[in-house]
Amino acid sequence: MIKNRTALRRTQKTLDVIITYCVLLIVSFLFFFPCLWLILASFSKSGSIYSFDGFFPKEYGIDSFVLLFSDTVMYNYRRWFLNTLFIATCSCVLGTFLTILTAYCMSRFRFRSRKAMMKATLVLGMFPSFMGTIAVYLIMTQFHLVNQPWGLILIYSAQAPMGYMVQKGFFDTIPYSIDEAARIDGATNFEIFAKFILPMSKPMLVYTALTSFTWPWSDFILPKMLLQDKDLYTVAVGLMSLGETEFARFAAGSIVIAIPIVVLYFCLVKYMINGMSAGAVKE
């Protein structure tokens, strides 16, 4: 009787493992197939989606990648890539700086309306950012920042501190006794932050910098609304301006623009996971 129960449990455990792996394989295929199709489409020799044999191209070549960087008369991908890199890098630096400062102040200092500000931030975070696009456009018009890359950088940097709660949770895990010991030695608030807290916050700094970089790197709505000059386009806006017969070039541009993010993710995923897990605590 005991042997039958043990065998039954083993059978159930084996079935659970098989079903789990089958479900994971199916989900992985559903996510991987569009990526595979886009990669294969980028090597289409004809360049047009209308010449595909079903889902996949009939002939393959690297002409789309060559044209992507060589043919810059109508579609200057190299210029778009540099524009995107400039906007994303500046937004990353300013956004990370403002987010870390906001999170540190909310974690370490006690002042009036602190709880109210935190609740207001949580409520505002429930609304999608595109709801304020009209207001943002009007403000940028009044400050003459339409068709200016710095207008986008200011918007991205100003919105970044709204997501400070994860960073605040990380700072909450750092013992407050470190601050008290530093103050006894005569350290100011800025010295405590710069010399003691920041060196211990490397995972959170990497996580914040990576998230601050990926948003402007792949955003389409704000650049489409604020950038009107074709030479100022980001990659997302520029690729959408390609003609219907340039689908292979569109796919190639999408692959190239995704490479830096993938490389950064694999290089920094360790710090990113540590930062997210360390910041996922309640006050």
Side-chain angles (χ1 to χ4, degrees):
M1 188 69 177
I2 296 177
K3 292 182 178 180
N4 293 335
R5 290 180 179 177
T6 304
L8 181 61
R9 289 176 181 175
R10 289 179 179 176
T11 304
Q12 291 177 346
K13 186 177 181 179
T14 303
L15 288 175
D16 289 341
V17 172
I18 293 174
I19 293 173
T20 301
Y21 275 97
C22 288
V23 172
L24 290 176
L25 287 173
I26 293 173
V27 173
S28 300
F29 176 77
L30 292 176
F31 279 94
F32 177 71
F33 181 77
C35 299
L36 176 63
W37 177 75
L38 188 66
I39 294 173
L40 294 177
S42 65
F43 289 97
S44 174
K45 194 171 184 179
S46 63
S48 175
I49 193 174
Y50 300 111
S51 63
F52 283 19
D53 185 13
F55 279 106
F56 304 105
K58 294 180 180 180
E59 297 179 308
Y60 294 91
I62 61 172
D63 297 342
S64 57
F65 287 93
V66 174
L67 289 174
L68 188 67
F69 292 98
S70 60
D71 183 15
T72 59
V73 177
M74 292 185 62
Y75 308 111
N76 196 344
Y77 185 84
R78 288 182 296 181
R79 180 72 178 180
W80 299 340
F81 189 93
L82 293 176
N83 292 339
T84 307
L85 181 62
F86 173 74
I87 293 173
T89 303
C90 293
S91 302
C92 172
V93 174
L94 291 176
T96 301
F97 178 74
L98 294 176
T99 303
I100 292 297
L101 282 183
T102 303
Y104 178 77
C105 292
M106 289 295 184
S107 173
R108 276 333 204 227
F109 298 102
R110 300 295 182 266
F111 49 89
R112 293 182 61 182
S113 303
R114 173 175 169 271
K115 291 287 186 180
M117 291 176 62
M118 293 174 58
K119 292 179 181 178
T121 303
L122 290 175
V123 172
L124 292 175
M126 298 179 182
F127 298 95
S129 58
F130 64 83
M131 291 182 62
T133 52
I134 297 178
V136 169
Y137 181 78
L138 293 176
I139 293 174
M140 292 295 104
T141 302
Q142 295 299 318
F143 285 97
H144 304 287
L145 290 175
V146 175
N147 207 33
Q148 296 289 336
W150 279 106
L152 279 173
I153 293 171
L154 291 176
I155 294 174
Y156 291 134
S157 303
Q159 290 185 353
M162 294 291 291
Y164 72 92
M165 293 302 295
V166 175
Q167 290 79 359
K168 176 188 173 298
F170 177 84
F171 288 131
D172 288 342
T173 62
I174 300 177
Y176 194 76
S177 57
I178 296 176
D179 302 46
E180 295 175 345
R183 285 194 179 91
I184 292 175
D185 292 335
T188 62
N189 289 327
F190 181 77
E191 289 175 339
I192 295 172
F193 173 71
K195 295 182 179 180
F196 297 96
I197 303 301
L198 278 185
M200 295 186 293
S201 306
K202 186 177 180 180
M204 184 51 60
L205 287 173
V206 172
Y207 165 76
T208 307
L210 189 58
T211 53
S212 300
F213 183 85
T214 52
W215 179 28
W217 185 262
S218 58
D219 187 33
F220 171 78
I221 296 178
L222 285 176
K224 179 63 176 178
M225 180 179 64
L226 295 179
L227 299 179
Q228 301 169 356
D229 190 349
K230 203 168 186 178
D231 289 334
L232 296 176
Y233 280 177
T234 60
V235 170
V237 180
L239 290 178
M240 289 301 296
S241 67
L242 294 176
E244 295 181 357
T245 58
E246 300 288 345
F247 183 78
R249 193 190 297 195
F250 172 87
S254 302
I255 298 299
V256 172
I257 199 65
I259 291 176
I261 295 297
V262 174
V263 172
L264 283 175
Y265 175 79
F266 280 107
C267 292
L268 304 176
V269 64
K270 176 183 177 181
Y271 301 105
M272 186 175 179
I273 293 175
N274 291 337
M276 292 178 64
S277 59
V281 297
K282 295 183 178 179
E283 186 184 13

